[in-house]
Amino acid sequence: MKQIKTLATAMLLTLAATASAQDSSQPESFNKVYVEYSPTYVKGADIDSKYTLNNLALGYSHNIKISDLPMHLEFGGKIGYQFGENKEDDYKENFNLFTVTVPTINLCFDIKLGDKVVVMPYGGYSLKINVLGKMKRDTGTNSNKYDLFDKDEMGQQNVWEQFVNSWQAGVDVHYSKYFIGVAYSGDLQKTVDTLESFYSVCAKVGLCF
């Protein structure tokens, strides 16, 4: 994880140097709306313990130019729905979560390719709020439902954090008023004490106005 963060930082610094040599290619401010799909990979303390949560989200951001250089700050947020299952030898768990990510703050760089295409790499910070979270565990002989944020139901070691700090790095490609993007993100803290890490790969499509 440390190597990934170091590589992402180095890439952003390189892109900043590249962008600084170009003329600004975006307006003083603009807005973006998008839909996003981002599978979240959950890794347990045991090397063989891992599963995936699917995440669908709707997001909005406002972008503000911060200098004469082709770079700007992006402020936004998104609402999402996560679902998935974890299959073990003697039980199966189904997860359903409703999340709000706010704020999402990114430092973005503009690299103009031709008249209409702008490549926009970025990196930044997000605060994810797990608003609702339910888990259903089925052992084959009985089934029980749990509140992921209730210590009495989940236990001290397995309760989920509701406020999670995270980081992200990615790139959007703009063509006229449309854009597509990919990103990688990870948590800056443990969401669950007994789970090693949460990280996501994101794909999104949206509109600028």
Side-chain angles (χ1 to χ4, degrees), residues 42 44 49-54 82-97 134-140 142-148 153-155 157-160 192 194-195 198:
V42 183
S49 177
K50 53 187 176 182
Y51 56 92
T52 302
L53 297 176
N54 299 289
Q82 282 187 313
F83 60 96
E85 67 177 23
N86 175 32
K87 289 184 177 180
E88 300 293 344
D89 293 337
D90 52 352
Y91 63 87
K92 180 176 70 174
E93 297 172 330
N94 288 284
F95 298 88
N96 289 276
L97 296 97
K134 300 294 182 181
M135 179 187 73
K136 180 181 179 182
R137 177 176 292 162
D138 189 347
T139 63
N142 60 68
S143 178
N144 295 292
K145 294 182 179 181
Y146 301 89
D147 183 338
L148 293 174
E153 294 186 14
M154 296 297 295
Q157 298 299 313
N158 294 304
V159 68
W160 288 46
V192 185
T194 55
L195 298 178
F198 284 65

Side-chain angles (χ1 to χ4, degrees), residues 59-70:
Y60 165 83
S61 67
H62 181 65
N63 295 255
I64 304 173
K65 186 176 179 181
I66 58 174
S67 72
D68 291 333
L69 300 175

Side-chain angles (χ1 to χ4, degrees), residues 31-174:
N31 303 294
K32 298 165 72 173
V33 292
Y34 59 90
V35 290
E36 172 185 289
Y37 172 68
S38 55
T40 298
Y41 302 97
V42 183
K43 182 179 180 299
D46 185 341
I47 192 171
D48 294 325
S49 177
K50 53 187 176 182
Y51 56 92
T52 302
L53 297 176
N54 299 289
N55 183 47
L56 299 173
L58 176 65
Y60 165 83
S61 67
H62 181 65
N63 295 255
I64 304 173
K65 186 176 179 181
I66 58 174
S67 72
D68 291 333
L69 300 175
M71 56 193 300
H72 57 271
L73 283 176
E74 180 179 68
F75 302 91
K78 58 187 177 182
I79 56 174
Y81 171 63
Q82 282 187 313
F83 60 96
E85 67 177 23
N86 175 32
K87 289 184 177 180
E88 300 293 344
D89 293 337
D90 52 352
Y91 63 87
K92 180 176 70 174
E93 297 172 330
N94 288 284
F95 298 88
N96 289 276
L97 296 97
F98 175 70
T99 65
V100 175
T101 303
V102 63
T104 294
I105 305 172
N106 291 309
L107 178 62
C108 310
F109 308 97
D110 302 336
I111 301 175
K112 189 175 182 180
L113 301 177
D115 294 332
K116 292 186 177 181
V117 178
V118 178
V119 178
M120 187 182 297
Y122 63 86
Y125 162 84
S126 293
L127 175 63
K128 182 173 71 176
I129 305 170
N130 292 315
V131 180
L132 297 172
K134 300 294 182 181
M135 179 187 73
K136 180 181 179 182
R137 177 176 292 162
D138 189 347
T139 63
T141 58
N142 60 68
S143 178
N144 295 292
K145 294 182 179 181
Y146 301 89
D147 183 338
L148 293 174
F149 315 123
D150 190 315
K151 292 182 180 179
D152 293 332
E153 294 186 14
M154 296 297 295
Q156 183 66 38
Q157 298 299 313
N158 294 304
V159 68
W160 288 46
E161 293 287 344
Q162 288 195 264
F163 297 89
V164 181
N165 297 285
S166 60
W167 63 273
Q168 66 274 339
V171 59
D172 291 344
V173 179
H174 292 242

